[in-house]
Amino acid sequence: MTDLTSHPAQAFGADPLQVRDTDHYTDEYVTGFVEKWDELIDWKKRYESEGSFFIDLLKSRGVKSVLDVATGTGFHSVRLLEEGFDTVSVDGSPEMLVKAFENGKNYGGHILQVVHADWRWLNRDVHGEFDAVICLGNSFTHLFSERDRRKALAEFYAVLKHDGILILDQRNYDAILDNGFSSKHTYYYCGDAVTAEPEYVDEGLARFRYRFPDRSQFHLNMYPLRKDYVRRLLREVGFQRLETYGDFQDTFAEDEPDFLIHVAEKNYVKSAEDGITYSAAVTVARDYYNSEDADNFYFSIWGGEDIHIGLYDHLAEEIAVASRRTVERMAGALPLTEASTVLDIGSGYGGAARYLAATYGCRVWCLNLSEVENARNRELTAEQGLTGLIEVVDGSFEDLPFEDNHFDAVWSQDAMLHSGDRVRVLQEVARVLKPGGDLVFTDPMASDSVERSALRPILDRLHLESMGSPGFYRRELNRLGVSTLAFEDHTAQVATHYGRVLEETERAEPQLAGRVSDEYLARMKVGLRHWVDGGHAGNLAWGIFHATF
């Protein structure tokens, strides 16, 4: 049986697993626990493992003033003061603030400006505005209700200057909930002689036990925040641009990091004219598709107007014919009329948009990240006399520049894999669709059972750390409340399509000389073989999703 015994100074009651209350944290950080906290952190090792990540991040954004809302025993407040930041140190635990004040004097003779405050009423006790708010040490997980979390984030937002940033971290609870607990014990809790591990975990509670060399043990009850849930809350509160790091790295596999760090920007981007901001993953894809090599290759080899996976009747069929068949099959799932409005996200050269506009007379908006592809889209659209029905927009599908409830249908072909935040893409789709609207899309995916290591050659080629899967899209779309959801599985077409593209690449290689570099073609052929091999091995999946909201 699991030992749920806690230190007698901590008041968890008869059943500690039922203690799921935000206000209880003040009973958990008792004096004995606080006195031992620095053994857990090990300031010297934490300093070495963290490096200058937070300092560089703040300086790169011109930050001068910082509100440390989870001061704890003062590690980050002292570091910030050492680096010249005007720092105010806040905590909800008076015991922690006392220890932080002592540590400030002991580590460099710093006098901390300490404020005892509850995040939910932060602006009542803290006055003025700051360039940055930091909420570190997995502290946000002490809030057990969504109302408390939203209130705290709203208070953080309010205390920031108009262009301020929030840095908030958390344990990687997704990995703990889905795969069990493991820790490199490297980045945050660095004390060698102390153990910090979950004693009990469910979707609403992570009860951690902390054991010290003197055989004492203490506990903390925390809410296991999932990464995408936190990201959604940050956006809904009003933060405009959001990046998530895993153990201080900007690219990471979902289950690898021990800790996640969210960097949320308050600065408001009003329109495309003010400049478009892209996430790291989208930026990589944009730079790739804007290159002259990529543009010449895809337009010449991949199918011309439709640069997506095709539905082949036989192995030698022309790529363009099979690719257009995919468009026709997807369009057949939609109840389109002349009055319909359609958004194509990741529209490439606009072949699908022109087919829809010409066939049904509907209006189509093409949103795409590549200005080079968009320019070619506009030219082809004008040549076919469809400019009045099609509008081409530069932008990212992670932040759609359209009003809520705007479109009858959203369309996407083989584009979402380029996002580092596919949940966000689906949320944006749900937002801009009218009630009863349709989403139809394809995406190259991992199979539901494949090990990530088997995908590494493909992921490295795309500079991605993950792919979607049929199970992932079913789960996330159901969470968004779709009324119907169907997946038409055409996985066998993956190996066929990439095999055909490889054949055409090798056949046309002499004609591509001077238009596409030898280096690009060499890399492309290697990448295409990986897709073919992955398809034959059963590591990949592909097909047509149709969801009605």
Side-chain angles (χ1 to χ4, degrees), residues 381-413:
T381 297
E383 289 173 5
Q384 297 179 30
L386 294 170
T387 302
L389 292 176
I390 295 174
E391 182 174 341
V392 183
V393 180
D394 298 341
S396 167
F397 45 31
E398 293 176 359
D399 192 10
L400 296 176
F402 303 103
E403 299 295 326
D404 297 358
N405 307 320
H406 195 72
F407 296 99
D408 297 299
V410 173
W411 174 291
S412 183
Q413 286 183 266

PDB file of all heavy atoms in Angstrom, residues 381-413:
ATOM      1  N   THR A 381      -4.667  32.513 -60.185  1.00  0.00           N
ATOM      2  CA  THR A 381      -6.075  32.858 -59.970  1.00  0.00           C
ATOM      3  C   THR A 381      -6.533  33.928 -60.960  1.00  0.00           C
ATOM      4  O   THR A 381      -7.632  33.842 -61.532  1.00  0.00           O
ATOM      5  CB  THR A 381      -6.277  33.345 -58.525  1.00  0.00           C
ATOM      6  OG1 THR A 381      -5.955  32.271 -57.617  1.00  0.00           O
ATOM      7  CG2 THR A 381      -7.708  33.794 -58.282  1.00  0.00           C
ATOM      8  N   ALA A 382      -5.676  34.920 -61.186  1.00  0.00           N
ATOM      9  CA  ALA A 382      -6.005  35.971 -62.156  1.00  0.00           C
ATOM     10  C   ALA A 382      -6.089  35.393 -63.562  1.00  0.00           C
ATOM     11  O   ALA A 382      -6.992  35.747 -64.349  1.00  0.00           O
ATOM     12  CB  ALA A 382      -4.968  37.085 -62.087  1.00  0.00           C
ATOM     13  N   GLU A 383      -5.148  34.509 -63.934  1.00  0.00           N
ATOM     14  CA  GLU A 383      -5.143  33.904 -65.267  1.00  0.00           C
ATOM     15  C   GLU A 383      -6.424  33.121 -65.527  1.00  0.00           C
ATOM     16  O   GLU A 383      -6.916  33.070 -66.666  1.00  0.00           O
ATOM     17  CB  GLU A 383      -3.935  32.968 -65.409  1.00  0.00           C
ATOM     18  CG  GLU A 383      -2.600  33.681 -65.493  1.00  0.00           C
ATOM     19  CD  GLU A 383      -1.428  32.710 -65.472  1.00  0.00           C
ATOM     20  OE1 GLU A 383      -1.697  31.475 -65.492  1.00  0.00           O
ATOM     21  OE2 GLU A 383      -0.270  33.166 -65.448  1.00  0.00           O
ATOM     22  N   GLN A 384      -6.989  32.518 -64.484  1.00  0.00           N
ATOM     23  CA  GLN A 384      -8.203  31.716 -64.640  1.00  0.00           C
ATOM     24  C   GLN A 384      -9.475  32.524 -64.393  1.00  0.00           C
ATOM     25  O   GLN A 384     -10.576  31.971 -64.355  1.00  0.00           O
ATOM     26  CB  GLN A 384      -8.140  30.500 -63.707  1.00  0.00           C
ATOM     27  CG  GLN A 384      -6.999  29.557 -64.048  1.00  0.00           C
ATOM     28  CD  GLN A 384      -6.910  28.357 -63.123  1.00  0.00           C
ATOM     29  OE1 GLN A 384      -7.922  27.901 -62.592  1.00  0.00           O
ATOM     30  NE2 GLN A 384      -5.705  27.825 -62.942  1.00  0.00           N
ATOM     31  N   GLY A 385      -9.329  33.843 -64.218  1.00  0.00           N
ATOM     32  CA  GLY A 385     -10.486  34.709 -64.080  1.00  0.00           C
ATOM     33  C   GLY A 385     -11.278  34.508 -62.805  1.00  0.00           C
ATOM     34  O   GLY A 385     -12.490  34.731 -62.778  1.00  0.00           O
ATOM     35  N   LEU A 386     -10.606  34.134 -61.722  1.00  0.00           N
ATOM     36  CA  LEU A 386     -11.300  33.828 -60.463  1.00  0.00           C
ATOM     37  C   LEU A 386     -10.966  34.805 -59.339  1.00  0.00           C
ATOM     38  O   LEU A 386     -11.301  34.558 -58.174  1.00  0.00           O
ATOM     39  CB  LEU A 386     -10.943  32.397 -60.015  1.00  0.00           C
ATOM     40  CG  LEU A 386     -11.450  31.284 -60.941  1.00  0.00           C
ATOM     41  CD1 LEU A 386     -10.842  29.944 -60.540  1.00  0.00           C
ATOM     42  CD2 LEU A 386     -12.975  31.205 -60.919  1.00  0.00           C
ATOM     43  N   THR A 387     -10.335  35.913 -59.681  1.00  0.00           N
ATOM     44  CA  THR A 387      -9.915  36.862 -58.654  1.00  0.00           C
ATOM     45  C   THR A 387     -11.094  37.361 -57.823  1.00  0.00           C
ATOM     46  O   THR A 387     -10.963  37.603 -56.619  1.00  0.00           O
ATOM     47  CB  THR A 387      -9.194  38.061 -59.300  1.00  0.00           C
ATOM     48  OG1 THR A 387      -8.066  37.573 -60.042  1.00  0.00           O
ATOM     49  CG2 THR A 387      -8.706  39.043 -58.244  1.00  0.00           C
ATOM     50  N   GLY A 388     -12.261  37.500 -58.422  1.00  0.00           N
ATOM     51  CA  GLY A 388     -13.424  37.987 -57.687  1.00  0.00           C
ATOM     52  C   GLY A 388     -13.947  37.032 -56.650  1.00  0.00           C
ATOM     53  O   GLY A 388     -14.706  37.436 -55.750  1.00  0.00           O
ATOM     54  N   LEU A 389     -13.554  35.751 -56.754  1.00  0.00           N
ATOM     55  CA  LEU A 389     -14.042  34.744 -55.800  1.00  0.00           C
ATOM     56  C   LEU A 389     -12.986  34.294 -54.799  1.00  0.00           C
ATOM     57  O   LEU A 389     -13.309  33.608 -53.824  1.00  0.00           O
ATOM     58  CB  LEU A 389     -14.564  33.514 -56.557  1.00  0.00           C
ATOM     59  CG  LEU A 389     -15.844  33.710 -57.382  1.00  0.00           C
ATOM     60  CD1 LEU A 389     -16.176  32.433 -58.142  1.00  0.00           C
ATOM     61  CD2 LEU A 389     -17.007  34.110 -56.477  1.00  0.00           C
ATOM     62  N   ILE A 390     -11.728  34.653 -55.028  1.00  0.00           N
ATOM     63  CA  ILE A 390     -10.646  34.133 -54.190  1.00  0.00           C
ATOM     64  C   ILE A 390      -9.811  35.282 -53.649  1.00  0.00           C
ATOM     65  O   ILE A 390      -9.398  36.174 -54.390  1.00  0.00           O
ATOM     66  CB  ILE A 390      -9.747  33.167 -54.992  1.00  0.00           C
ATOM     67  CG1 ILE A 390     -10.541  31.926 -55.407  1.00  0.00           C
ATOM     68  CG2 ILE A 390      -8.518  32.762 -54.176  1.00  0.00           C
ATOM     69  CD1 ILE A 390      -9.789  30.979 -56.329  1.00  0.00           C
ATOM     70  N   GLU A 391      -9.564  35.235 -52.348  1.00  0.00           N
ATOM     71  CA  GLU A 391      -8.689  36.209 -51.703  1.00  0.00           C
ATOM     72  C   GLU A 391      -7.528  35.458 -51.062  1.00  0.00           C
ATOM     73  O   GLU A 391      -7.740  34.468 -50.344  1.00  0.00           O
ATOM     74  CB  GLU A 391      -9.433  37.013 -50.645  1.00  0.00           C
ATOM     75  CG  GLU A 391      -8.573  38.068 -49.971  1.00  0.00           C
ATOM     76  CD  GLU A 391      -9.352  38.961 -49.028  1.00  0.00           C
ATOM     77  OE1 GLU A 391     -10.589  39.012 -49.143  1.00  0.00           O
ATOM     78  OE2 GLU A 391      -8.711  39.597 -48.160  1.00  0.00           O
ATOM     79  N   VAL A 392      -6.307  35.912 -51.309  1.00  0.00           N
ATOM     80  CA  VAL A 392      -5.107  35.257 -50.786  1.00  0.00           C
ATOM     81  C   VAL A 392      -4.543  36.101 -49.645  1.00  0.00           C
ATOM     82  O   VAL A 392      -4.287  37.296 -49.818  1.00  0.00           O
ATOM     83  CB  VAL A 392      -4.052  35.066 -51.882  1.00  0.00           C
ATOM     84  CG1 VAL A 392      -2.833  34.323 -51.335  1.00  0.00           C
ATOM     85  CG2 VAL A 392      -4.650  34.304 -53.072  1.00  0.00           C
ATOM     86  N   VAL A 393      -4.346  35.468 -48.487  1.00  0.00           N
ATOM     87  CA  VAL A 393      -3.928  36.172 -47.274  1.00  0.00           C
ATOM     88  C   VAL A 393      -2.627  35.569 -46.752  1.00  0.00           C
ATOM     89  O   VAL A 393      -2.527  34.347 -46.592  1.00  0.00           O
ATOM     90  CB  VAL A 393      -5.015  36.081 -46.182  1.00  0.00           C
ATOM     91  CG1 VAL A 393      -4.567  36.810 -44.916  1.00  0.00           C
ATOM     92  CG2 VAL A 393      -6.336  36.639 -46.695  1.00  0.00           C
ATOM     93  N   ASP A 394      -1.625  36.409 -46.495  1.00  0.00           N
ATOM     94  CA  ASP A 394      -0.398  35.957 -45.844  1.00  0.00           C
ATOM     95  C   ASP A 394      -0.687  35.786 -44.354  1.00  0.00           C
ATOM     96  O   ASP A 394      -1.222  36.688 -43.707  1.00  0.00           O
ATOM     97  CB  ASP A 394       0.722  36.984 -45.998  1.00  0.00           C
ATOM     98  CG  ASP A 394       1.101  37.228 -47.449  1.00  0.00           C
ATOM     99  OD1 ASP A 394       0.772  36.380 -48.291  1.00  0.00           O
ATOM    100  OD2 ASP A 394       1.715  38.275 -47.734  1.00  0.00           O
ATOM    101  N   GLY A 395      -0.315  34.651 -43.777  1.00  0.00           N
ATOM    102  CA  GLY A 395      -0.546  34.491 -42.354  1.00  0.00           C
ATOM    103  C   GLY A 395      -0.332  33.076 -41.873  1.00  0.00           C
ATOM    104  O   GLY A 395       0.005  32.164 -42.647  1.00  0.00           O
ATOM    105  N   SER A 396      -0.541  32.884 -40.577  1.00  0.00           N
ATOM    106  CA  SER A 396      -0.337  31.597 -39.913  1.00  0.00           C
ATOM    107  C   SER A 396      -1.663  31.033 -39.442  1.00  0.00           C
ATOM    108  O   SER A 396      -2.512  31.755 -38.915  1.00  0.00           O
ATOM    109  CB  SER A 396       0.593  31.764 -38.706  1.00  0.00           C
ATOM    110  OG  SER A 396       0.572  30.611 -37.885  1.00  0.00           O
ATOM    111  N   PHE A 397      -1.833  29.724 -39.603  1.00  0.00           N
ATOM    112  CA  PHE A 397      -3.071  29.100 -39.140  1.00  0.00           C
ATOM    113  C   PHE A 397      -3.113  28.939 -37.620  1.00  0.00           C
ATOM    114  O   PHE A 397      -4.111  28.493 -37.067  1.00  0.00           O
ATOM    115  CB  PHE A 397      -3.336  27.757 -39.833  1.00  0.00           C
ATOM    116  CG  PHE A 397      -2.146  26.826 -39.952  1.00  0.00           C
ATOM    117  CD1 PHE A 397      -1.138  26.804 -39.016  1.00  0.00           C
ATOM    118  CD2 PHE A 397      -2.056  25.955 -41.025  1.00  0.00           C
ATOM    119  CE1 PHE A 397      -0.057  25.930 -39.130  1.00  0.00           C
ATOM    120  CE2 PHE A 397      -0.987  25.079 -41.153  1.00  0.00           C
ATOM    121  CZ  PHE A 397       0.003  25.068 -40.200  1.00  0.00           C
ATOM    122  N   GLU A 398      -2.031  29.285 -36.938  1.00  0.00           N
ATOM    123  CA  GLU A 398      -2.051  29.280 -35.478  1.00  0.00           C
ATOM    124  C   GLU A 398      -2.686  30.548 -34.909  1.00  0.00           C
ATOM    125  O   GLU A 398      -2.968  30.627 -33.719  1.00  0.00           O
ATOM    126  CB  GLU A 398      -0.627  29.124 -34.935  1.00  0.00           C
ATOM    127  CG  GLU A 398      -0.010  27.770 -35.249  1.00  0.00           C
ATOM    128  CD  GLU A 398       1.430  27.666 -34.778  1.00  0.00           C
ATOM    129  OE1 GLU A 398       1.943  28.654 -34.235  1.00  0.00           O
ATOM    130  OE2 GLU A 398       2.033  26.589 -34.956  1.00  0.00           O
ATOM    131  N   ASP A 399      -2.911  31.527 -35.756  1.00  0.00           N
ATOM    132  CA  ASP A 399      -3.504  32.793 -35.321  1.00  0.00           C
ATOM    133  C   ASP A 399      -4.278  33.377 -36.501  1.00  0.00           C
ATOM    134  O   ASP A 399      -3.848  34.321 -37.151  1.00  0.00           O
ATOM    135  CB  ASP A 399      -2.409  33.752 -34.853  1.00  0.00           C
ATOM    136  CG  ASP A 399      -2.958  34.961 -34.127  1.00  0.00           C
ATOM    137  OD1 ASP A 399      -4.160  34.973 -33.815  1.00  0.00           O
ATOM    138  OD2 ASP A 399      -2.189  35.905 -33.886  1.00  0.00           O
ATOM    139  N   LEU A 400      -5.451  32.823 -36.773  1.00  0.00           N
ATOM    140  CA  LEU A 400      -6.200  33.180 -37.968  1.00  0.00           C
ATOM    141  C   LEU A 400      -6.719  34.619 -37.880  1.00  0.00           C
ATOM    142  O   LEU A 400      -7.381  34.984 -36.904  1.00  0.00           O
ATOM    143  CB  LEU A 400      -7.382  32.221 -38.152  1.00  0.00           C
ATOM    144  CG  LEU A 400      -7.019  30.759 -38.413  1.00  0.00           C
ATOM    145  CD1 LEU A 400      -8.269  29.895 -38.474  1.00  0.00           C
ATOM    146  CD2 LEU A 400      -6.219  30.619 -39.717  1.00  0.00           C
ATOM    147  N   PRO A 401      -6.441  35.445 -38.898  1.00  0.00           N
ATOM    148  CA  PRO A 401      -6.845  36.852 -38.863  1.00  0.00           C
ATOM    149  C   PRO A 401      -8.281  37.066 -39.332  1.00  0.00           C
ATOM    150  O   PRO A 401      -8.560  37.899 -40.199  1.00  0.00           O
ATOM    151  CB  PRO A 401      -5.838  37.503 -39.818  1.00  0.00           C
ATOM    152  CG  PRO A 401      -5.567  36.445 -40.837  1.00  0.00           C
ATOM    153  CD  PRO A 401      -5.611  35.134 -40.080  1.00  0.00           C
ATOM    154  N   PHE A 402      -9.221  36.294 -38.759  1.00  0.00           N
ATOM    155  CA  PHE A 402     -10.617  36.377 -39.159  1.00  0.00           C
ATOM    156  C   PHE A 402     -11.508  36.402 -37.919  1.00  0.00           C
ATOM    157  O   PHE A 402     -11.123  35.918 -36.843  1.00  0.00           O
ATOM    158  CB  PHE A 402     -11.001  35.181 -40.040  1.00  0.00           C
ATOM    159  CG  PHE A 402     -10.147  35.035 -41.269  1.00  0.00           C
ATOM    160  CD1 PHE A 402      -9.154  34.067 -41.328  1.00  0.00           C
ATOM    161  CD2 PHE A 402     -10.332  35.879 -42.354  1.00  0.00           C
ATOM    162  CE1 PHE A 402      -8.359  33.933 -42.444  1.00  0.00           C
ATOM    163  CE2 PHE A 402      -9.534  35.742 -43.489  1.00  0.00           C
ATOM    164  CZ  PHE A 402      -8.548  34.776 -43.537  1.00  0.00           C
ATOM    165  N   GLU A 403     -12.706  36.946 -38.085  1.00  0.00           N
ATOM    166  CA  GLU A 403     -13.650  37.036 -36.983  1.00  0.00           C
ATOM    167  C   GLU A 403     -14.213  35.658 -36.626  1.00  0.00           C
ATOM    168  O   GLU A 403     -14.176  34.715 -37.427  1.00  0.00           O
ATOM    169  CB  GLU A 403     -14.805  37.973 -37.359  1.00  0.00           C
ATOM    170  CG  GLU A 403     -14.384  39.397 -37.669  1.00  0.00           C
ATOM    171  CD  GLU A 403     -13.813  40.100 -36.453  1.00  0.00           C
ATOM    172  OE1 GLU A 403     -14.280  39.816 -35.333  1.00  0.00           O
ATOM    173  OE2 GLU A 403     -12.902  40.934 -36.624  1.00  0.00           O
ATOM    174  N   ASP A 404     -14.782  35.561 -35.430  1.00  0.00           N
ATOM    175  CA  ASP A 404     -15.466  34.341 -35.009  1.00  0.00           C
ATOM    176  C   ASP A 404     -16.665  34.067 -35.931  1.00  0.00           C
ATOM    177  O   ASP A 404     -17.266  34.992 -36.493  1.00  0.00           O
ATOM    178  CB  ASP A 404     -15.984  34.477 -33.579  1.00  0.00           C
ATOM    179  CG  ASP A 404     -14.865  34.661 -32.559  1.00  0.00           C
ATOM    180  OD1 ASP A 404     -13.690  34.646 -32.954  1.00  0.00           O
ATOM    181  OD2 ASP A 404     -15.176  34.831 -31.356  1.00  0.00           O
ATOM    182  N   ASN A 405     -17.014  32.780 -36.076  1.00  0.00           N
ATOM    183  CA  ASN A 405     -18.238  32.370 -36.791  1.00  0.00           C
ATOM    184  C   ASN A 405     -18.298  32.980 -38.197  1.00  0.00           C
ATOM    185  O   ASN A 405     -19.324  33.528 -38.608  1.00  0.00           O
ATOM    186  CB  ASN A 405     -19.488  32.781 -35.995  1.00  0.00           C
ATOM    187  CG  ASN A 405     -19.450  32.286 -34.563  1.00  0.00           C
ATOM    188  OD1 ASN A 405     -19.020  31.168 -34.294  1.00  0.00           O
ATOM    189  ND2 ASN A 405     -19.878  33.119 -33.639  1.00  0.00           N
ATOM    190  N   HIS A 406     -17.205  32.862 -38.930  1.00  0.00           N
ATOM    191  CA  HIS A 406     -17.074  33.581 -40.196  1.00  0.00           C
ATOM    192  C   HIS A 406     -17.265  32.700 -41.432  1.00  0.00           C
ATOM    193  O   HIS A 406     -17.727  33.176 -42.466  1.00  0.00           O
ATOM    194  CB  HIS A 406     -15.698  34.237 -40.261  1.00  0.00           C
ATOM    195  CG  HIS A 406     -15.533  35.274 -41.311  1.00  0.00           C
ATOM    196  ND1 HIS A 406     -16.121  36.510 -41.224  1.00  0.00           N
ATOM    197  CD2 HIS A 406     -14.859  35.250 -42.497  1.00  0.00           C
ATOM    198  CE1 HIS A 406     -15.806  37.217 -42.307  1.00  0.00           C
ATOM    199  NE2 HIS A 406     -15.042  36.480 -43.094  1.00  0.00           N
ATOM    200  N   PHE A 407     -16.916  31.413 -41.341  1.00  0.00           N
ATOM    201  CA  PHE A 407     -16.878  30.560 -42.530  1.00  0.00           C
ATOM    202  C   PHE A 407     -17.837  29.379 -42.415  1.00  0.00           C
ATOM    203  O   PHE A 407     -18.076  28.855 -41.318  1.00  0.00           O
ATOM    204  CB  PHE A 407     -15.462  30.025 -42.758  1.00  0.00           C
ATOM    205  CG  PHE A 407     -14.456  31.097 -43.060  1.00  0.00           C
ATOM    206  CD1 PHE A 407     -13.621  31.588 -42.063  1.00  0.00           C
ATOM    207  CD2 PHE A 407     -14.354  31.632 -44.340  1.00  0.00           C
ATOM    208  CE1 PHE A 407     -12.700  32.581 -42.336  1.00  0.00           C
ATOM    209  CE2 PHE A 407     -13.434  32.626 -44.623  1.00  0.00           C
ATOM    210  CZ  PHE A 407     -12.612  33.105 -43.619  1.00  0.00           C
ATOM    211  N   ASP A 408     -18.351  28.956 -43.588  1.00  0.00           N
ATOM    212  CA  ASP A 408     -19.178  27.749 -43.634  1.00  0.00           C
ATOM    213  C   ASP A 408     -18.316  26.493 -43.612  1.00  0.00           C
ATOM    214  O   ASP A 408     -18.767  25.437 -43.148  1.00  0.00           O
ATOM    215  CB  ASP A 408     -20.027  27.748 -44.910  1.00  0.00           C
ATOM    216  CG  ASP A 408     -21.000  28.909 -44.953  1.00  0.00           C
ATOM    217  OD1 ASP A 408     -21.857  28.993 -44.054  1.00  0.00           O
ATOM    218  OD2 ASP A 408     -20.881  29.745 -45.868  1.00  0.00           O
ATOM    219  N   ALA A 409     -17.098  26.584 -44.125  1.00  0.00           N
ATOM    220  CA  ALA A 409     -16.216  25.413 -44.173  1.00  0.00           C
ATOM    221  C   ALA A 409     -14.767  25.850 -44.076  1.00  0.00           C
ATOM    222  O   ALA A 409     -14.395  26.925 -44.553  1.00  0.00           O
ATOM    223  CB  ALA A 409     -16.439  24.622 -45.462  1.00  0.00           C
ATOM    224  N   VAL A 410     -13.968  25.013 -43.446  1.00  0.00           N
ATOM    225  CA  VAL A 410     -12.513  25.176 -43.427  1.00  0.00           C
ATOM    226  C   VAL A 410     -11.901  23.946 -44.081  1.00  0.00           C
ATOM    227  O   VAL A 410     -12.315  22.813 -43.816  1.00  0.00           O
ATOM    228  CB  VAL A 410     -11.972  25.363 -41.999  1.00  0.00           C
ATOM    229  CG1 VAL A 410     -10.436  25.350 -42.009  1.00  0.00           C
ATOM    230  CG2 VAL A 410     -12.480  26.668 -41.396  1.00  0.00           C
ATOM    231  N   TRP A 411     -10.925  24.194 -44.915  1.00  0.00           N
ATOM    232  CA  TRP A 411     -10.286  23.163 -45.754  1.00  0.00           C
ATOM    233  C   TRP A 411      -8.784  23.205 -45.491  1.00  0.00           C
ATOM    234  O   TRP A 411      -8.207  24.274 -45.345  1.00  0.00           O
ATOM    235  CB  TRP A 411     -10.589  23.511 -47.204  1.00  0.00           C
ATOM    236  CG  TRP A 411      -9.951  22.700 -48.287  1.00  0.00           C
ATOM    237  CD1 TRP A 411      -8.631  22.676 -48.637  1.00  0.00           C
ATOM    238  CD2 TRP A 411     -10.633  21.844 -49.208  1.00  0.00           C
ATOM    239  NE1 TRP A 411      -8.445  21.857 -49.715  1.00  0.00           N
ATOM    240  CE2 TRP A 411      -9.662  21.329 -50.086  1.00  0.00           C
ATOM    241  CE3 TRP A 411     -11.972  21.476 -49.374  1.00  0.00           C
ATOM    242  CZ2 TRP A 411      -9.988  20.456 -51.114  1.00  0.00           C
ATOM    243  CZ3 TRP A 411     -12.294  20.601 -50.398  1.00  0.00           C
ATOM    244  CH2 TRP A 411     -11.316  20.094 -51.255  1.00  0.00           C
ATOM    245  N   SER A 412      -8.138  22.049 -45.443  1.00  0.00           N
ATOM    246  CA  SER A 412      -6.683  22.021 -45.302  1.00  0.00           C
ATOM    247  C   SER A 412      -6.143  20.721 -45.865  1.00  0.00           C
ATOM    248  O   SER A 412      -6.700  19.649 -45.613  1.00  0.00           O
ATOM    249  CB  SER A 412      -6.272  22.159 -43.830  1.00  0.00           C
ATOM    250  OG  SER A 412      -4.865  22.200 -43.704  1.00  0.00           O
ATOM    251  N   GLN A 413      -5.041  20.824 -46.607  1.00  0.00           N
ATOM    252  CA  GLN A 413      -4.408  19.639 -47.170  1.00  0.00           C
ATOM    253  C   GLN A 413      -2.933  19.600 -46.786  1.00  0.00           C
ATOM    254  O   GLN A 413      -2.138  20.469 -47.190  1.00  0.00           O
ATOM    255  CB  GLN A 413      -4.547  19.628 -48.702  1.00  0.00           C
ATOM    256  CG  GLN A 413      -5.947  19.290 -49.191  1.00  0.00           C
ATOM    257  CD  GLN A 413      -6.016  19.224 -50.699  1.00  0.00           C
ATOM    258  OE1 GLN A 413      -6.357  20.202 -51.349  1.00  0.00           O
ATOM    259  NE2 GLN A 413      -5.698  18.049 -51.258  1.00  0.00           N
TER     260      GLN A 413
END
